[in-house]
Amino acid sequence: MSEQKYTKYFIFDDKKGLKLPSYRLNADSKKIIRMTHIDADTFKDATFYNEMMWILPGFDKDCKDKKPNFKEEHTHDFGELMCFYGLNYENVMDLGAEIEFTIDGETHIIKESFTAFIPPGVKHGPLTIRNVTRPIAHMIACTTGRYK
């Protein structure tokens, strides 16, 4: 079967040889399943960055002595969307976990599915995930071709 014109625009796996910044913690946890990744390295003309993963029950148990257990404080020169969605089909807003997330010194405790926009230059983190009772879909999207 010949390849169709737009087949090249579909991403079906994670970035090969991915190296994440040091403020991204526990990325090697067996309770994180990375799915897809797109940036200017995986797709030459990409002017944005996106990654998708599952965070599974037990993630917080694997990292119980670490705070934060997901991200340390950092900043970017580009905007970032951070999405966390719970998989309770009877209540899609139930995150099935608790996330402690600090943005510019303001700490939020979140127990609902959410998307957060972080403007360029705004400090964010630490981010800690606790009490994971069901899988969480987590997506990051940024207005840059390379995440740094």
Side-chain angles (χ1 to χ4, degrees):
M1 183 168 95
S2 64
E3 187 172 299
Q4 295 174 300
K5 181 178 177 182
Y6 293 100
T7 299
K8 66 183 178 182
Y9 294 105
F10 291 89
I11 306 297
F12 295 102
D13 56 7
D14 199 13
K15 182 177 180 178
K16 307 291 186 246
L18 176 65
K19 297 206 182 344
L20 294 171
S22 62
Y23 57 80
R24 297 275 301 267
L25 307 172
N26 298 309
D28 59 347
S29 170
K30 302 260 188 275
K31 302 297 182 177
I32 293 179
I33 300 174
R34 298 186 53 81
M35 293 180 57
T36 58
H37 181 110
I38 187 168
D39 63 12
D41 295 327
T42 58
F43 191 77
K44 180 179 167 245
D45 297 325
T47 57
F48 60 92
Y49 173 95
N50 178 266
E51 61 180 288
M52 180 68 197
M53 65 193 77
W54 292 101
I55 301 168
L56 303 179
F59 169 78
D60 50 321
K61 306 292 186 267
D62 284 356
C63 313
K64 68 181 176 186
D65 296 327
K66 298 176 183 173
K67 187 176 180 200
N69 65 8
F70 200 66
K71 292 187 181 190
E72 294 177 328
E73 182 181 75
H74 61 283
T75 188
H76 309 285
D77 59 359
F78 49 82
E80 179 177 19
L81 285 178
M82 294 183 61
C83 310
F84 291 87
Y85 304 123
L87 293 174
N88 178 350
Y89 302 119
E90 294 177 17
N91 178 2
V92 295
M93 294 310 295
D94 175 14
L95 183 59
E98 178 180 285
I99 294 180
E100 182 178 325
F101 187 26
T102 302
I103 301 172
D104 203 21
E106 185 178 286
T107 299
H108 300 263
I109 305 295
I110 307 162
K111 297 179 182 180
E112 296 178 282
S113 296
F114 71 96
T115 299
F117 172 65
I118 312 300
V122 173
K123 288 182 189 176
H124 52 292
L127 192 151
T128 299
I129 302 171
R130 294 188 286 265
N131 305 321
V132 182
T133 61
R134 67 176 54 85
I136 301 168
H138 175 49
M139 185 186 77
I140 299 169
C142 303
T143 55
T144 183
R146 287 192 177 78
Y147 187 89
K148 50 190 181 288

